[in-house]
């Protein structure tokens, strides 16, 4: 859990938490991709996700420069057709974790061969669709999944190229719900017990799969590149005798969300991984699947302040028109965020507030310990930065709140890529 400073007045929002193209307009307001964010709020309404397209493209390019065709975008972080197309155009493969994510990537025009299907419980139907479409890799997670693939291939489905997902026993320094590399996890074949070795032998003996590599993912929001190097050293011992061409180390590179946090860049992460691989004598091509590091800092969420409730001697609650339905991370993981007013980006933020949503739930918190300028008022547009990953995609319709739209901004243009939900959308699946 990351908590920003408690109770102390804060200076202006640190600029590095804003998207790459963020600038300050003549009136002190935030401009992203050449678009005035206050005008965006007026045009598209709030809540609104605003993504800096140049920022997204720059992070994809950075990954491709470092890892070539083995750079894969983990679409669970943020997915819509525009995003899948952008990552593909920039040269990344697309990691999909379900049939739904695969369907969106294919609908975006991404060739199936550039998609990689993940999941610890892929259904026979999902596997059938993936095999028939010709997905580039299936990351096989269990013996039961191998059974299902063998049954499908026996009835005529094409033989897939697969990676086996293994758990190298590394517990990343992060929130325990997202640390997936240690042994006590639902994901993958365990290295320490010999289960992974047996899975390799089985896959090699099977005519139904073409085993091309090993996959591991040690967790998310990992700040210490040393954790990845540690995972590689465990994997080096395991993979050396196998002599497979690919070794994918997953995603998980962290990003700063609040003042005081720092994380390696994709380029620094790549350098650390490559140095570790060289040291360990790993000859397989190293692949990665960043999600958060591509999209998180590319976006901000704009809200409108509706209610301010000062509680003498306790705190001030600032309620906005979204909440846990557009950003469940604070509730799920206790994640910390910053907040600021886009009309006065460079203003000091002396006033301590708790930013909450509009849901019927006391735990509906967006920013537990936020800071805003003194003149915050009802009707202000308030923003949270670094909301581009695991926000919109994890959103819900709790309390039948309508999910917000997404705009991509670039070169002074704002392009609506996901429209706001309507009441008709809410009722579309309600056939009772
Ligand atoms: N790859 C796999 C297998 C994952 O499970 C995840 C996230 O859970 C990712 C990649 C992306 O992680 P991140 O967004 O932290 O980079």
């Amino acid at each position: 859990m990351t908590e920003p400073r408690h109770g102390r007045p804060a200076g202006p929002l640190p600029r590095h938490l804003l998207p790459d193209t963020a600038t300050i307009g003549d009136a002190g307001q935030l401009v992203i991709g050449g678009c005035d964010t206050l005008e965006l709020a007026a045009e598209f309404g709030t809540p609104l996700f605003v993504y800096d397209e140049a920022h997204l493209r720059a992070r994809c390019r950075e990954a491709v420069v470092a890892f070539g065709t083995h750079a894969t975008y983990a679409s669970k972080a943020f997915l819509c057709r525009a995003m899948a197309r952008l990552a593909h155009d920039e040269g990344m493969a697309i990691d999909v974790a379900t049939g739904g994510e695969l369907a969106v990537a294919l609908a975006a025009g991404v060739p199936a061969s550039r998609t990689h299907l993940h999941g610890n419980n892929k259904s026979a139907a999902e596997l059938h669709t993936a095999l028939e479409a010709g997905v580039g890799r299936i990351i096989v997670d269990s013996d039961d999944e191998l059974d299902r693939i063998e049954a499908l291939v026996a009835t005529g489905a094409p033989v897939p190229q697969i990676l086996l997902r293994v758990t190298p026993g590394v517990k990343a320094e992060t929130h325990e719900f997202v640390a997936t590399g240690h042994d006590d996890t639902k994901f993958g074949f365990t290295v320490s017990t010999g289960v992974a070795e047996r899975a390799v032998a089985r896959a090699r003996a099977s005519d139904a799969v073409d085993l091309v590599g090993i996959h591991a993912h040690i967790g998310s929001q990992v700040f210490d590149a040393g954790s990845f190097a540690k995972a590689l050293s465990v994997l080096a011992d395991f993979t050396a005798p196998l002599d497979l061409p690919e070794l994918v180390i997953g995603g998980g590179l962290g990003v700063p969300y609040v003042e005081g946090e720092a994380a390696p860049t994709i380029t620094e992460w790549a350098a650390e991984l490559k140095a570790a691989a060289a040291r360990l004598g790993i000859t397989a091509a190293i692949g990665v699947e960043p999600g958060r590091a591509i999209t998180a800092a590319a976006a901000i969420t704009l809200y409108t302040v509706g209610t301010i409730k000062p509680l003498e001697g306790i705190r001030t609650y600032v309620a906005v028109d979204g909440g846990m339905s557009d950003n469940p991370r604070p509730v799920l993981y206790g994640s910390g965020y910053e907040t600021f007013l886009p009309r006065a980006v460079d203003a000091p933020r002396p006033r301590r507030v708790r930013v909450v949503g509009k849901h019927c739930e006391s735990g509906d918190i967006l920013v537990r310990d936020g800071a805003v300028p003194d003149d915050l008022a009802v009707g202000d547009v308030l923003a949270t930065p670094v909301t581009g990953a695991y926000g919109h995609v994890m959103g819900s319709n709790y309390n039948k709140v309508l999910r917000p739209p997404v705009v991509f901004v670039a070169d002074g243009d704002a392009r609506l890529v996901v429209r706001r939900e309507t009441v008709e959308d809410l009722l579309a699946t309600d056939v009772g």
Side-chain angles (χ1 to χ4, degrees):
M1 174 141 108
T2 310
E3 289 285 354
R5 72 278 105 181
H6 290 277
R8 286 187 284 117
L13 180 81
R15 288 283 186 94
H16 72 275
L17 297 177
L18 289 172
D20 284 358
T21 69
T23 55
I24 311 289
D26 291 344
Q29 82 282 25
L30 178 63
V31 176
I32 302 176
C35 296
D36 182 323
T37 54
L38 297 176
E39 287 174 13
L40 293 174
E43 180 178 351
F44 298 99
T46 57
L48 175 68
F49 284 86
V50 179
Y51 278 80
D52 178 359
E53 197 170 327
H55 183 123
L56 292 171
R57 289 189 186 280
R59 294 305 178 281
C60 290
R61 279 178 206 157
E62 202 181 338
V64 171
V65 165
F67 297 99
T69 55
H70 298 284
T72 301
Y73 169 59
S75 70
K76 69 205 71 170
F78 169 59
L79 181 63
C80 59
R81 285 185 295 180
M83 182 62 214
R85 217 174 281 129
L86 182 154
H88 172 64
D89 287 349
E90 295 298 342
M92 296 189 84
I94 311 292
D95 148 1
V96 295
T98 64
E101 288 181 354
L102 176 61
V104 174
L106 295 178
V110 177
S113 61
R114 291 296 287 157
T115 63
H116 298 178
L117 180 63
H118 278 270
N120 69 305
N121 188 21
K122 305 175 189 75
S123 68
E126 285 174 316
L127 287 167
H128 181 255
T129 304
L131 294 188
E132 291 300 337
V135 302
R137 299 283 181 276
I138 294 188
I139 293 78
V140 174
D141 214 274
S142 68
D143 275 309
D144 296 317
E145 184 179 337
L146 277 173
D147 291 345
R148 287 196 276 278
I149 294 176
E150 285 177 341
L152 287 163
V153 172
T155 58
V159 173
Q161 292 196 309
I162 69 161
L163 307 176
L164 289 178
R165 176 161 179 174
V166 304
T167 48
V170 176
K171 191 175 187 311
E173 291 294 319
T174 181
H175 194 285
E176 65 173 324
F177 291 168
V178 287
T180 52
H182 56 300
D183 283 349
D184 185 3
T185 166
K186 68 174 183 170
F187 293 104
F189 299 95
T190 311
V191 171
S192 63
T193 57
V195 170
E197 204 179 328
R198 287 199 291 282
V200 170
R202 177 180 173 184
R204 283 201 148 146
S206 173
D207 291 334
V209 294
D210 175 11
L211 178 65
V212 296
I214 297 297
H215 178 288
H217 171 79
I218 60 166
S220 258
Q221 187 56 354
V222 181
F223 285 135
D224 175 16
S227 292
F228 295 98
K230 200 165 152 197
L232 267 188
S233 68
V234 176
L235 288 166
D237 291 344
F238 177 70
T239 54
L242 308 181
D243 197 26
L244 291 165
E246 294 178 21
L247 176 55
V248 177
I249 190 76
L253 178 61
V255 301
Y257 281 84
V258 294
E259 192 166 1
E261 285 182 340
T265 63
I266 292 173
T267 306
E268 289 163 350
W269 181 45
E272 179 97 24
L273 282 174
K274 286 177 182 177
R279 227 174 23 244
L280 295 160
I282 294 173
T283 52
I286 301 288
V288 291
E289 296 163 341
R292 189 189 313 270
I294 302 286
T295 62
I300 66 166
T301 309
L302 300 175
Y303 301 98
T304 301
V305 174
T307 309
I308 299 176
K309 178 183 177 182
L311 283 175
E312 196 54 44
I314 305 178
R315 71 177 79 256
T316 296
Y317 284 92
V318 174
V320 296
D321 51 357
M324 61 192 286
S325 55
D326 59 73
N327 185 4
R329 293 190 68 254
V331 179
L332 277 176
Y333 311 120
S335 308
Y337 283 87
E338 295 278 351
T339 186
F340 68 101
L341 298 182
R343 68 168 161 79
V345 190
D346 265 344
R349 299 170 299 156
R351 192 166 172 194
R352 312 305 309 182
V353 297
R354 177 163 290 178
V355 181
V356 296
K358 62 180 287 161
H359 294 276
C360 279
E361 177 87 34
S362 297
D364 174 25
I365 293 169
L366 284 169
V367 185
R368 181 172 292 276
D369 186 27
V372 288
D374 258 337
D375 62 349
L376 171 84
V378 167
D380 263 333
V381 173
L382 176 147
T384 48
V386 202
T387 55
Y390 305 104
H392 194 266
V393 285
M394 280 186 144
S396 75
N397 285 125
Y398 180 43
N399 293 142
K400 296 295 182 233
V401 162
L402 304 173
R403 270 179 280 229
V406 178
V407 293
F408 277 17
V409 291
D411 302 324
D413 277 338
R415 181 161 66 100
L416 185 68
V417 297
V418 180
R419 67 158 168 79
R420 188 179 303 284
E421 276 183 337
T422 62
V423 171
E424 289 69 36
D425 293 326
L426 281 184
L427 290 168
T429 54
D430 185 336
V431 294

